Amino acid sequence: MSPTHTSDVLVVGGGIIGLVTAWRAAQRGLATAVVDPEPGGGAARVAAGMLAAVTELHYGEQTLLGLNLASARRYPDFAAELTELTGHDLGYRRCGTLAVALDADDRAHLRELHALQQRSGLDSQWLSGRECRRLEPMLAPGVRGGLRVDGDHQIDPRRLAAALVTACERAGVVVHRAWAERLALAGDRATGVVTADGTELGAGQVVLAGGSLSGRLADVPPDVLPPVRPVKGQVVRLTMPARLGPFLNRTVRAVVRGSHVYLVPRESGELVIGATSEEMGWDTTVTAGGVYELLRDAHELVPGITELPLTETRAGLRPGSPDNAPLLGPTGLEGLLLATGHYRNGVLLTPVTGDVMAHALTTGELPEEARPFTPRRFGAAVLTEQPA
Ligand code: GLY
């Protein structure tokens, strides 16, 4: 079978990671195509869009921190370029973040995080409960203290995705609205994909950027199959009526009884509350328990949310990887690259992923800053059996 369409680069997956890869590749002069039944969809439809390199720092993730910070530094120019090119307002808000503690255990946890941030050379400031409430008057009187991080911002991921679709169109990226079913191979090299209707799309290089689905493209040899799994996150959206005045000025987050909860206030009046973290396979059901826990924990932080209209509930799937870091660049199979496994940081890592992948596609190598994220750091994928 000869391909009906051929490009230099074929990106499998039109979420924000696939789109930014395609856009940057096309800007470098590569004839680029994306295959996805619904470009601009994926986890970005659900994500809150926190750009939280500092407040989402975890023990053991210092290598990932370097990439997160590199991407955070790129955000102002990236957002300006995308807005200028497409005319889309991305909802990019350099508002900072306040991580707060409600009880002694939370405060101890936050103190540990502060110490880790300081050891990592990051900018964050410890505040008393009173100082937190001065910044955010809607916070509960019981807030015991917090960390002010002025460098952790937010963007609206749905707007980001829409802008990337437009940027791809303007850059000449061909979009195939189809489901990529299997990888096409010739000998020991990837040559494209075959879609659900049997069409073969040929390419010099194939980038697998299918988010949590990246491990499910048929005929990818087991030793290069990405070890990603879906990690469910439920999110609710409220509306902050303008007549109430500013409800929250910045992202507010906390760990309540061991669960992360965050409230992300947009200039549009949307208030996003997230997120559960559940190992439930491919399930995207919004559950009463998930919504209850989010609202209960958010209410402990900001009691006034009970007054706000509830406008949306949704669940999405983060692409989790074994070390919580992305898989970027060439694999052991010639012609096949990965851009997946971004887990909790897909929105934050979008700018750096575009640059890294464009570099890899044009030179065959990862730039220095991305070398730790080579897919070759994992052996053959060990995937937990997931329901079909
Ligand atoms: N980065 C936020 C989340 O994954 O829930």
Side-chain angles (χ1 to χ4, degrees), residues 50 56 262 275 318 343-344:
M50 287 180 299
E56 283 220 358
Y262 42 79
R318 305 175 183 89
Y343 190 38
R344 300 181 69 95

Side-chain angles (χ1 to χ4, degrees), residues 4 18 29 51 74 99 114 141 148 161 182 194 202 235 243 251 257 272 274 285 287 301 318 331 336 344 355:
T4 48
L51 307 175
R74 281 165 161 86
H114 190 214
R148 175 178 178 167
R182 64 182 173 84
V194 179
V235 165
R243 65 182 160 73
T251 296
R257 288 178 289 273
V272 187
T285 314
T287 63
L301 292 183
R318 305 175 183 89
T331 65
L336 181 69
R344 300 181 69 95
D355 294 346

Side-chain angles (χ1 to χ4, degrees), residues 8-9 21 24-25 28 30 74 204-207 327-331 335-339 352-371 373-376:
D8 295 329
V9 174
T21 299
R24 291 306 197 196
R28 302 263 187 128
L30 297 168
R74 281 165 161 86
Q205 302 185 81
V206 177
V207 180
L327 292 84
L328 302 173
T331 65
L336 181 69
L337 295 86
L338 300 182
V352 78
T353 298
D355 294 346
V356 163
M357 293 307 296
H359 185 100
L361 287 162
T362 47
T363 67
E365 304 213 328
L366 282 171
E368 184 69 37
E369 65 190 339
R371 296 221 171 119
F373 306 100
T374 170
R376 294 181 168 126

